[in-house]
Amino acid sequence: MRGKAPFPGWLLAGLSLLLLISSAVGAEPGTVETTLSQIGCLYSQCGLGTVTADAARLVCDADFSVIPGGVLYQNLPGGPTTQESMAQCFYGDETLAVCTVTPVQLKALMETGVGRIVTTDRDTIDEDDSAFEGFPQISGFQVKCDYSALPGSRVLWIKTADGTELDLADDATAYTLVSTDELLAGGYGYTSLNREPVGPTMLECLWDYITAGRAKAAGNPYTIIGIQGNILMQNVSPVIPALLTAMFLCVGAMTGGRVERRKRSEQIEL
């Protein structure tokens, strides 16, 4: 009986080299649960904006977070990722800063953020005219806006993450808010706020968040009235509409089949 041929040494060495190279390329991979979209980030909350704002808020231990949509460049695909592939989804890294805001100041900030929204004659968002690089991607609070109202009077209420509604006339209670240093310094047309720089940058916060296994976009923190249209559908995976269409076709086919069988049965009885 012939023995097994020895495993070639050169092949073993080659496989070892490939493993070393693959482990050395890029940073240690993290995992993104689903694709994080940046579609619509200049006039609505998006998945990538939500996760980036969540990361900044949690890593910097702030109550609220606001990230301008203009820093987002492209979708972050779901699955394993690296620091390099993550960074390609942004126009660049951003220095972060933290400040204190009262409900009055937070409302004013949000009025600036949603004040650029323009509606069409059909009461839908005019995506081109509404595009604003400073549109706030938010975390830690929810906001209800009326886009049919005049700019400056669109914010109806703001609630904290636990559902507590803020008194928008309260100019005494202080909350911590983290954002890009540019925005807090008065960039994008916002009012400048006293701020302190924080250690990690925006991308460092996001990478820490991803490697901690928490990179999943939550629900939309915006409640919008005064418009019609599909603002809630613009960040939904394109797979969902396809699945719904397939489901309706299947239901139609099953219904049609039952009707045909009933007709045949009636003919046999006759």
Side-chain angles (χ1 to χ4, degrees):
M1 182 176 181
R2 297 177 60 182
K4 294 183 179 180
F7 195 77
W10 62 268
L11 184 55
L12 180 61
L15 289 174
S16 300
L17 181 59
L18 285 175
L19 289 174
L20 287 173
I21 292 175
S22 63
S23 63
V25 173
E28 180 182 359
T31 299
V32 176
E33 187 165 324
T34 58
T35 294
L36 300 176
S37 171
Q38 57 80 227
I39 297 174
C41 65
L42 301 185
Y43 50 83
S44 67
Q45 187 91 356
C46 66
L48 183 58
T50 295
V51 171
T52 305
D54 285 346
R57 177 176 63 87
L58 293 172
V59 173
C60 297
D61 194 25
D63 296 315
F64 308 137
S65 175
V66 174
I67 297 295
V71 305
L72 310 179
Y73 174 62
Q74 64 183 8
N75 296 347
L76 178 59
T81 188
T82 64
Q83 284 180 292
E84 288 77 9
S85 60
M86 178 196 72
Q88 292 174 3
C89 299
F90 299 82
Y91 282 101
D93 202 354
E94 295 285 334
T95 300
L96 297 179
V98 67
C99 68
T100 58
V101 292
T102 64
V104 167
Q105 291 173 314
L106 183 60
K107 179 182 184 297
L109 185 152
M110 291 304 300
E111 290 285 8
T112 299
V114 302
R116 305 291 187 90
I117 297 295
V118 177
T119 58
T120 69
D121 294 337
R122 295 172 297 175
D123 294 328
T124 59
I125 291 180
D126 186 319
E127 298 177 2
D128 292 331
D129 288 344
S130 298
F132 172 40
E133 291 190 353
F135 186 87
Q137 305 290 320
I138 64 176
S139 173
F141 64 101
Q142 307 164 47
V143 60
K144 183 176 182 178
C145 302
D146 182 357
Y147 283 172
S148 67
L150 294 174
S153 58
R154 290 179 167 177
V155 175
L156 302 181
W157 53 248
I158 296 176
K159 296 180 181 180
T160 60
D162 63 3
T164 301
E165 185 170 345
L166 302 182
D167 177 1
L168 299 183
D170 180 1
D171 202 19
T173 306
Y175 298 87
T176 54
L177 180 144
V178 63
S179 184
T180 63
D181 186 68
E182 180 182 5
L183 187 149
L184 295 181
Y188 306 100
Y190 286 94
T191 299
S192 177
L193 296 169
N194 292 328
R195 65 203 187 281
E196 295 290 338
V198 296
T201 66
M202 180 185 70
L203 294 186
E204 289 171 343
C205 288
L206 182 56
W207 182 246
D208 288 347
Y209 191 68
I210 290 175
T211 53
R214 296 178 290 182
K216 177 183 178 181
N220 195 331
Y222 283 88
T223 299
I224 306 298
I225 64 172
I227 62 168
Q228 300 176 12
N230 61 347
I231 188 170
L232 295 180
M233 290 297 292
Q234 61 196 1
N235 292 315
V236 174
S237 169
V239 174
I240 294 178
L243 290 175
L244 290 174
T245 301
M247 181 182 70
F248 288 132
L249 289 174
C250 288
V251 171
M254 293 173 61
T255 303
R258 286 197 297 269
V259 171
E260 184 64 26
R261 287 194 297 272
R262 187 180 301 114
K263 289 181 178 179
R264 291 178 179 176
S265 177
E266 292 174 352
Q267 291 174 353
I268 292 174
E269 291 177 359
L270 292 174

